[in-house]
Amino acid sequence: MKHLKAFCYNGKEYEPSDIKSRNKLVEMKYYRLTDLNRENILIAVNSETPYFRYKTLQINV
């Protein structure tokens, strides 16, 4: 699921267009992102069309 905005633990809200800014992307990765309800962890996807998506959990078996 793609999200239109993300909340960062540095107190800022980001939009997908912010992902193209190198400085903002570094902040997003350093402080981590959640959805606006602060319930789910998000990651920034820096592609031709940037977006935020849920972080999937890896289970090692």
Side-chain angles (χ1 to χ4, degrees):
M1 179 175 177
K2 295 181 181 181
H3 294 267
L4 299 177
K5 288 190 175 186
F7 176 78
C8 191
Y9 284 109
N10 66 358
K12 297 179 183 177
E13 287 184 14
Y14 292 103
E15 296 182 2
S17 60
D18 295 325
I19 296 171
K20 291 293 184 183
S21 166
R22 184 168 178 82
N23 291 338
K24 289 180 183 179
L25 183 59
V26 169
E27 285 181 358
M28 291 180 216
K29 290 184 176 190
Y30 181 78
Y31 290 106
R32 301 183 68 200
L33 299 168
T34 66
D35 58 9
L36 294 180
N37 296 327
R38 297 180 182 105
E39 295 175 351
N40 299 290
I41 297 172
L42 301 179
I43 60 171
V45 178
N46 191 8
S47 63
E48 288 183 24
T49 308
Y51 63 94
F52 301 108
R53 69 170 174 82
Y54 288 119
K55 180 178 181 180
T56 56
L57 299 175
Q58 276 188 322
I59 300 174
N60 295 328
V61 183

